[in-house]
């Protein structure tokens, strides 16, 4: 083992603070990465404050949107060498043998190891995430980062990016299709960028009229204020696919009724309370409602390569790690356009 600097929380009510954590020495298949930038995901806040069913183990080191530089590799590593740019997302291991793993869907593996707060089969305890100087990861879960992209904007692609890319790809949101994106926050702004790059006609739904200009800047063809019944009615029965990124409680039936025959809505936001779905909203038009959860490693690499080709990154506000607690408070108020990213060089001063 070796020690590295990190930021951790000691309890659900403690602020994140400077700490030292242990990382494993390299096995033959491992890659050691110096973390340069780490995005802040809303799930980091939920986990730190133990808001998802009491599963948080303390101390917790959050962070699953990492971009860095390879510093060492194990003797059997073939894909990476020191100096390479690399990324690590929401998962760092899986069993590799289940049907999901064998089809490139590691995110649905029943024995998945998450990047943080997941049982650590190497050191015991739980895994620690990217609010740290370095990390050691099996090369199967390391991703190659395009060298032409702005690195702070790449970090959130490892979660927000693949979370929106995967369902858009799965449901064929391509040229000739009419695609809606509900909400224009950390997830929604990426959904707009991807849908536009795929060639779809993109309509953004927002409760805030003052977001119209930004939605158009991001690539939307149209913007609908969802509280305006007339604007909503004009789009009835016309969408092939709608990506719902909203985590607040909202009327899902209002969007189901906008789908054409065999249209689909996929949820990537996670409202606290169950959504009420009217049966006839599905029955009339053979519509479907589904969910999606990040993507497998191969698809995540495909997404990064696509971003490199189309020059797509997240819109980020870069902060030093010393402002992470302030960023969490601002995140609760949706006071960011559209993701926070930590410059991990700031940790060296701790």
């Amino acid at each position: 083992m070796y020690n590295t600097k990190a930021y951790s929380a000691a309890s659900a009510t403690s602020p994140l603070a400077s700490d030292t954590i242990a990382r494993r020495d390299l096995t033959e298949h491992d890659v050691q990465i110096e973390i340069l930038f780490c995005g802040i995901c809303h799930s980091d806040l939920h986990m730190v404050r133990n808001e998802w069913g009491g599963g948080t183990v303390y101390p917790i080191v959050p962070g699953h949107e990492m971009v860095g530089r390879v510093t060492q590799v194990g003797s059997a590593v073939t894909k990476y060498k020191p100096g390479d740019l690399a990324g690590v997302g929401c998962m760092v291991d899986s069993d590799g043998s289940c049907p999901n793993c064998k089809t490139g869907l590691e995110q649905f593996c029943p024995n998945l190891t998450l990047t943080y707060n997941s049982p650590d089969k190497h050191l015991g305890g739980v895994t620690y995430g990217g609010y740290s100087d370095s990390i050691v990861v099996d090369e199967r879960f390391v991703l190659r980062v395009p060298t032409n992209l702005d690195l702070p904007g790449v970090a959130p692609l490892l979660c927000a990016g693949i979370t929106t890319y995967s369902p858009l790809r799965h449901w064929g949101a391509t040229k000739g299709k009419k695609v809606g994106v509900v909400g224009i926050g950390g997830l929604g702004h990426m959904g707009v960028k991807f849908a536009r790059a795929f060639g779809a006609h993109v309509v953004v739904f927002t409760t805030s009229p003052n977001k119209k200009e930004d939605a158009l800047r991001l690539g939307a063809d149209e913007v609908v204020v969802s509280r305006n019944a007339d604007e909503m009615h004009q789009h009835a029965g016309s969408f092939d696919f709608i990506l719902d990124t909203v985590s607040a409680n909202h009327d899902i039936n209002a969007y189901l009724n906008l789908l054409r025959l065999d249209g689909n809505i996929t949820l990537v936001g996670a409202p606290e309370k169950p959504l009420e779905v009217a049966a006839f909203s599905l029955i009339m038009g053979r519509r479907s409602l589904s969910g999606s959860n990040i993507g497998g490693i191969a698809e995540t690499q495909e997404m990064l390569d696509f971003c490199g080709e189309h020059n797509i990154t997240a819109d980020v506000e870069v902060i030093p790690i010393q402002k992470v607690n302030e960023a969490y408070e601002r995140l609760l108020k949706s006071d960011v356009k559209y993701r926070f990213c930590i410059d991990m060089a700031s940790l060296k001063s701790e």
Side-chain angles (χ1 to χ4, degrees):
M1 295 188 299
Y2 70 95
N3 290 330
T4 190
K5 290 181 178 179
Y7 254 52
S8 71
S11 74
T13 55
S14 302
L16 288 152
S18 184
D19 197 0
T20 300
I21 60 170
R23 295 294 194 192
R24 69 177 184 264
D25 292 326
L26 271 70
T27 71
E28 60 180 356
H29 295 288
D30 281 340
V31 175
Q32 183 189 60
I33 300 168
E34 176 193 9
I35 301 169
L36 301 176
F37 296 96
C38 184
I40 295 177
C41 179
H42 214 291
S43 60
D44 295 347
L45 189 155
H46 288 304
M47 288 299 295
V48 165
R49 298 188 175 179
N50 199 19
E51 293 172 347
W52 278 348
T56 302
V57 177
Y58 297 97
I60 180 173
V61 177
H64 57 207
E65 301 177 348
M66 285 164 265
V67 174
R69 197 169 296 280
V70 175
T71 49
Q72 293 186 68
V73 298
S75 59
V77 171
T78 59
K79 296 179 182 177
Y80 302 94
K81 63 183 187 304
D84 286 347
L85 286 175
V88 178
C90 302
M91 49 189 176
V92 291
D93 208 351
S94 68
D95 61 31
S97 59
C98 71
N100 294 330
C101 285
K102 288 181 176 180
T103 53
L105 297 170
E106 298 93 344
Q107 74 271 32
F108 300 118
C109 175
N111 300 303
L112 181 68
T113 300
L114 297 174
T115 303
Y116 67 88
N117 200 57
S118 198
D120 187 333
K121 59 189 181 186
H122 294 273
L123 297 181
V126 295
T127 52
Y128 294 137
Y131 295 13
S132 56
D133 266 340
S134 71
I135 192 168
V136 176
V137 181
D138 187 297
E139 72 168 327
R140 294 179 300 128
F141 288 83
V142 178
L143 295 143
R144 190 169 299 281
V145 172
T147 57
N148 63 306
L149 297 177
D150 181 56
L151 293 185
V154 170
L157 299 178
L158 279 304
C159 179
I162 187 58
T163 295
T164 51
Y165 179 95
S166 184
L168 285 163
R169 206 51 148 175
H170 179 79
W171 290 97
T174 55
K175 189 174 181 179
K177 298 295 179 70
K178 185 175 178 181
V179 171
V181 177
V182 185
I184 190 160
L187 291 174
H189 93 287
M190 290 306 311
V192 174
K193 291 186 180 191
F194 284 133
R196 175 62 179 261
F198 289 153
H201 180 88
V202 185
V203 181
V204 164
F205 295 93
T206 178
T207 57
S208 307
N210 60 1
K211 288 190 175 181
K212 180 174 182 178
E213 184 178 333
D214 219 28
L216 295 171
R217 175 187 66 82
L218 292 164
D221 296 290
E222 300 179 61
V223 182
V224 172
V225 178
S226 55
R227 291 189 172 123
N228 186 314
D230 290 337
E231 287 188 32
M232 292 287 281
H233 182 71
Q234 288 172 21
H235 291 273
S238 67
F239 282 87
D240 297 284
F241 177 75
I242 296 176
L243 183 70
D244 188 340
T245 72
V246 175
S247 292
N249 292 323
H250 58 291
D251 181 9
I252 193 67
N253 300 292
Y255 297 101
L256 284 168
N257 291 330
L258 300 183
L259 295 174
R260 66 171 73 237
L261 179 66
D262 289 328
N264 170 267
I265 289 181
T266 292
L267 303 179
V268 290
E272 183 180 353
K273 296 179 180 178
L275 298 174
E276 292 188 3
V277 179
F280 279 105
S281 295
L282 296 173
I283 291 169
M284 303 306 289
R286 204 164 55 191
R287 300 161 176 147
S288 62
L289 173 64
S290 59
S292 185
N293 179 27
I294 58 171
I297 293 298
E299 188 176 44
T300 305
Q301 187 63 63
E302 175 191 303
M303 179 268 307
L304 286 171
D305 294 342
F306 182 86
C307 288
E309 293 167 13
H310 295 268
N311 199 31
I312 294 173
T313 54
D315 286 19
V316 296
E317 179 181 333
V318 180
I319 62 165
I321 199 162
Q322 292 79 10
K323 290 191 175 181
V324 67
N325 293 300
E326 177 187 323
Y328 273 29
E329 293 305 315
R330 287 179 56 195
L331 196 59
L332 287 171
K333 302 171 187 173
S334 300
D335 179 23
V336 59
K337 284 188 173 180
Y338 281 97
R339 303 284 287 200
F340 285 113
C341 183
I342 306 168
D343 182 348
M344 298 308 300
S346 59
L347 185 57
K348 298 186 187 305
S349 65
E350 290 286 328

